[in-house]
Amino acid sequence: MNDLALGHGYDGARQVVGRLSPRTNRWLTAVLGDDTLTRSLNLTNRSGAEITRGAQAGLRKAGFALYREARRNSGRFASTKAALAGTAKVTGFLRAGNILLSAGQTVYGLNNLRLQGNPVDAFHRKGA
């Protein structure tokens, strides 16, 4: 399945489900990311095109935009908290879960390497 077909399917599902039930649309927004918040940030990609979907938004750009917006009215800690919360809304549960699982797998792999010690010694102990 190519990216264009996947994008059209995503757009169609969001439009149909949004008309059926507000509760279902809120659930999809939490799982896939908040497109309305993404559009309000006026983010652009590297080629200068406007980003309209939460799935397309770069998390660093979204976080910095939300931090700058919150910093106008509050301190650093409150602004950081607001930026993290807003970035989580833009991200959606699936993308955030994927990021957290990837980080966990990296830590697990690094710990496994640390426990094995020197690769040459591990090869001599266990063989090929």
Side-chain angles (χ1 to χ4, degrees), residues 12-74:
R14 287 300 292 250
Q15 290 172 358
V16 169
V17 172
R19 289 186 194 128
L20 293 177
S21 165
R23 177 183 289 167
T24 307
N25 198 26
R26 282 194 305 269
W27 181 82
L28 267 179
T29 296
V31 171
L32 299 175
D34 191 351
D35 297 338
T36 307
L37 178 60
T38 303
R39 279 197 251 12
S40 73
L41 295 175
N42 296 322
L43 300 174
T44 58
N45 62 13
R46 290 183 182 142
S47 65
E50 185 180 2
I51 296 173
T52 58
R53 295 278 183 218
Q56 298 171 329
L59 301 182
R60 184 178 53 86
K61 278 186 173 184
F64 284 147
L66 288 163
Y67 178 80
R68 281 192 304 269
E69 186 177 313
R71 187 73 172 113
R72 293 180 193 149
N73 301 325
S74 57

Side-chain angles (χ1 to χ4, degrees), residues 100-119:
L100 293 175
L101 284 174
S102 296
Q105 289 172 344
T106 301
V107 169
Y108 177 77
L110 288 173
N111 186 43
N112 200 10
L113 278 175
R114 183 188 62 81
L115 291 174
Q116 289 178 7
N118 187 356

